[in-house]
Amino acid sequence: MSTELPEPAAPPPTGAGGSSPAPTRRTFIATSAVVGVAGSVVGGTSLIGGEEAAAAERPPSSRVSLTVNGTRRSLTVDNRTSLLDLLREHLGLTGSKKGCNAGACGACTVLVDGHRVNACLTLAVRLEGAEVTTIEGLAEGEQLHPLQQAFIDEDAFQCGYCTPGQIVSGVGCIQEGHTGSPEEIREWMSGNICRCGCYVKIVRAVRQTAGRK
């Protein structure tokens, strides 16, 4: 019995009198890529100038002026820059911590015009003319803010990572008048997470400070 395979059929001739075969998907994609490259580069020189190309790659930015801890600041930042990154990366104020970077832990809490905000969720360019207070701006020289002192008195921290946000949030809570009871304080401080579990002492520190007003 013969095991020889039959010869494959020869492809049809494509002479001058015949039509070219239809392009396949692969040849169409390859041809499109070559045409695209040729359209952007002629004789080895890009049709887009260096300056134009650099401008196209540069993200949009804006000038913003705001007051941080009593000092007027003016700087140009990427429009996507958060207030937290402006404070930490541009102004060197690293007291506000980057925890979850999603507004869930409160470690980045600062005061904007007296109101508590999550700095990680706040765009810096939206704060033109605003007044921002961070943990670095609470003390007056060597004199600690009463809530900072209360945190020491009540031993209201362990690792200390969440402490700046807890203190700033506590200051806001006191200013807002939400200190009528431990339950009320817990409710209005619930956006600030303490992974060490110092909640009881934090509430005591806020109550201590509120009672001194």
Side-chain angles (χ1 to χ4, degrees), residues 80-147:
R80 300 166 296 180
T81 301
S82 68
L83 174 57
L84 180 59
D85 285 338
L86 181 144
L87 294 171
R88 292 179 59 86
E89 307 299 334
H90 295 267
L91 300 181
L93 298 173
T94 57
S96 304
K97 297 296 186 284
K98 182 176 285 191
C100 65
N101 206 33
C105 72
C108 65
T109 305
V110 298
L111 301 178
V112 175
D113 294 331
H115 301 286
R116 293 179 282 176
V117 303
N118 290 320
C120 71
L121 297 182
T122 305
L123 286 176
V125 294
R126 295 178 63 88
L127 299 180
E128 177 65 32
E131 184 170 342
V132 179
T133 303
T134 71
I135 186 68
E136 292 91 343
L138 293 181
E140 296 182 4
E142 298 297 322
Q143 182 66 40
L144 294 177
H145 185 281
L147 187 53

Side-chain angles (χ1 to χ4, degrees), residues 22-33:
T24 65
R25 180 173 177 273
R26 178 176 297 176
T27 57
F28 175 78
I29 294 175
T31 303
S32 300

Side-chain angles (χ1 to χ4, degrees), residues 177-209:
H178 298 302
T179 57
S181 67
E183 292 76 20
E184 185 178 13
I185 293 172
R186 283 196 291 269
E187 174 67 24
W188 288 90
M189 291 284 291
S190 61
N192 292 79
I193 295 174
C194 174
R195 291 169 176 82
C196 298
C198 296
Y199 296 112
V200 173
K201 296 179 180 180
I202 290 171
V203 170
R204 288 176 184 169
V206 174
R207 292 197 73 190
Q208 173 183 315
T209 305

Side-chain angles (χ1 to χ4, degrees), residues 142-163:
E142 298 297 322
Q143 182 66 40
L144 294 177
H145 185 281
L147 187 53
Q148 290 176 307
Q149 185 61 53
F151 262 65
I152 296 174
D153 296 341
E154 297 293 341
D155 193 25
F157 56 90
Q158 287 188 31
C159 77
Y161 193 86
C162 76
T163 302

